[in-house]
Every structure is written in C-alpha cells, then in structure tokens.
Amino acid sequence: MRQTTWKGHTRYDFSVNEREGLVVVPANPAEGNPWIWRAAFFDAFAQADMAMLQRGWHLAYYEVSDMYGCPEAVRLMRSFQGHVESQFHLAKKTVLFGFSRGGFYSFNYAAEYPEQVSGLYLDAPALDIRSWPGGYGKAPRAEKEWQECLQNYGLTEETARDFKGNPLDKIDQVAEAGIPILVVYGDADKDAIFSENAEILIRRYRELGGEIKSIVKPGGEHHPHSLEDPAPIVEYLIANCNS
C-alpha cells in the first residue's frame, strides 16, 4: 500500500484482484465512516467529491472503467468493497458516484448488491449500452468503446439488439430496495441522450414510488459534469443517503 496526498488529504493506493484502487481519508472522519465511491473518472469534475471529503466522508475509487459495468466488473467491485470496509473500517453501505459510463457500474452494482448501497448520484449517466456507446438511438456510435463493450458482455452486434442486462432493465430491483437516487444532467447532452437514459429512469422510478431527485442544467451538454456549486448534491446525499 502506497501513501501519498490528494488535494491535501491522505491517499492510499493498493491493488485488489490485480486492479488498482484507492481510498482518500478525510481530515475529520464523520461518525460511522461513511464513504462515497467514484465509479469512473477519478479526479474529474470532483467538486462534489471534495465537498463530501470536507464533510468527513471517505472517498474510494476502483479501476474497472474498461468493463462497462458487465457482470465480471460488478463481481470485482464487490471484492473491492469488502476489502476497503475491512482495511479502512468503512461503513457497510456506500454512495456510488456514476458519471457518464459510471452509470453502468453504479446502477448494475446497486441492482446486484442493494444491501451494500445507501444511495446513487448519477451525473449525465449512460444507462443503456445500445444508446451509448452503441449509437442505436440519437447519439453517434463510439466504435472503440462499443467493441470493448460487446467483448465484455459477450455480445455480438445481433444479440446486443435484444440485450436485457442494462441498468434500465433493473429499475424495479433498485426501487424495491428503496435506494435514493440523485440525477444531474444537461438537457442538451448529445452523448448520454437524456430521453434514452436518465429520463426513462426518472419516470419509471417515480412510477414505482422510489425516492429520486433530478437537477437539470438548461442547455448543458455532456461536459462539464457536476455543478459549479456542489451544495445541492451534498445536501441531498447527507439528508438521504447517510445510513
């Protein structure tokens, strides 16, 4: 385990199942050691990450970004959670931050292991591989990522058309578990198209009586992620996901 600093906080880097992981420790840990888990793109648009650290929450990251939330990625993620809970005495539940493709990891993990998740913060999330990177809808295909995605899921161009393992196919499972969700999105996003991803989640989750809040950025595109002032994100997570 290697100790360094990240933005003034103590950072520990290590390996779990031959994949890199890290934990950043807050200066004054909150009671019970609550923690957030950035599912993809560590240190990108990290306003909310920093704000949660300042509120005493630990921050974790595990490198599975090339796996698109496939079942093997979810299995590896569970091993990582068990490891950091044991090594750093973290809370038994985490809040997953799903930015862009991180939506795949976060939601699929919550559906598979709802007892390990206290909340989801999804930011411009991709929630259907056919929308992105597949480009079956309004977004352009991301060819390299699509080929990687097909390989990770064991799909072909033909079988992908009827694929039923997307986050949008698992909304009922997460709603039944009572997991609160915050969605932040730009209504001009041309990559994770709102109508093909987050809009479906928001509508269905509300129909099922789930706790979900959405924050729209009028005219916002896929980037930048998060909010310049992360206070609304932090307030929601502290109020709804601190268990």
Side-chain angles (χ1 to χ4, degrees):
M1 185 180 297
R2 182 168 59 95
Q3 180 178 334
T4 57
T5 59
W6 180 73
K7 301 184 187 299
H9 296 273
T10 301
R11 166 176 167 168
Y12 296 95
D13 288 78
F14 47 89
S15 178
V16 178
N17 290 321
E18 301 182 347
R19 286 183 172 263
E20 295 303 310
L22 64 89
V23 168
V24 181
V25 180
N28 297 294
E31 183 178 357
N33 286 341
W35 58 295
I36 58 175
W37 182 353
R38 176 65 88 93
F41 309 116
F42 178 74
D43 201 14
F45 308 103
Q47 300 95 300
D49 311 57
M50 283 299 302
M52 294 300 286
L53 271 171
Q54 291 163 2
R55 294 292 292 266
W57 289 50
H58 287 66
L59 167 63
Y61 174 75
Y62 186 49
E63 181 54 65
V64 288
S65 292
D66 59 346
M67 299 181 75
Y68 300 86
C70 71
E72 176 63 10
V74 170
R75 185 189 69 79
L76 289 168
M77 289 170 69
R78 182 66 190 93
S79 295
F80 174 78
Q81 184 170 7
H83 177 82
V84 297
E85 285 177 1
S86 173
Q87 291 296 311
F88 296 92
H89 309 290
L90 301 183
K92 296 299 182 183
K93 293 185 177 184
T94 184
V95 176
L96 279 152
F97 278 27
F99 284 38
S100 192
R101 74 174 67 176
F104 295 138
Y105 308 96
S106 301
F107 208 90
N108 284 345
Y109 191 79
E112 185 68 22
Y113 298 108
E115 69 282 359
Q116 308 300 139
V117 178
S118 60
L120 297 174
Y121 160 35
L122 306 177
D123 196 293
L127 299 170
D128 185 335
I129 63 170
R130 291 167 299 189
S131 174
W132 186 93
Y136 281 27
K138 297 177 182 178
R141 171 169 292 187
E143 189 62 46
K144 175 181 177 292
E145 289 82 0
W146 180 233
Q147 294 305 318
E148 291 174 345
C149 193
L150 292 177
Q151 182 176 1
N152 274 284
Y153 279 94
L155 297 170
T156 65
E157 194 73 49
E158 292 70 30
T159 58
R161 296 180 183 278
D162 298 317
F163 179 58
K164 298 299 182 184
N166 281 297
L168 295 183
D169 299 310
K170 304 173 183 180
I171 295 173
D172 293 34
Q173 295 166 238
V174 178
E176 184 178 352
I179 296 173
I181 302 176
L182 173 65
V183 181
V184 176
Y185 67 93
D187 60 7
D189 193 330
K190 297 179 178 63
D191 296 300
I193 304 293
F194 176 63
S195 62
E196 298 172 5
N197 293 276
E199 184 178 35
I200 298 170
L201 167 62
I202 293 167
R203 181 177 66 249
R204 180 62 180 154
Y205 217 70
R206 286 175 177 160
E207 290 173 353
L208 293 167
E211 166 55 45
I212 187 166
K213 176 182 176 64
S214 61
I215 299 175
V216 61
K217 297 184 286 187
E221 299 185 358
H222 194 61
H223 291 146
H225 288 290
S226 193
L227 303 174
E228 288 187 18
D229 177 4
I233 299 169
V234 173
E235 290 167 6
Y236 181 87
L237 299 181
I238 295 292
N240 293 280
C241 308
N242 196 5
S243 63

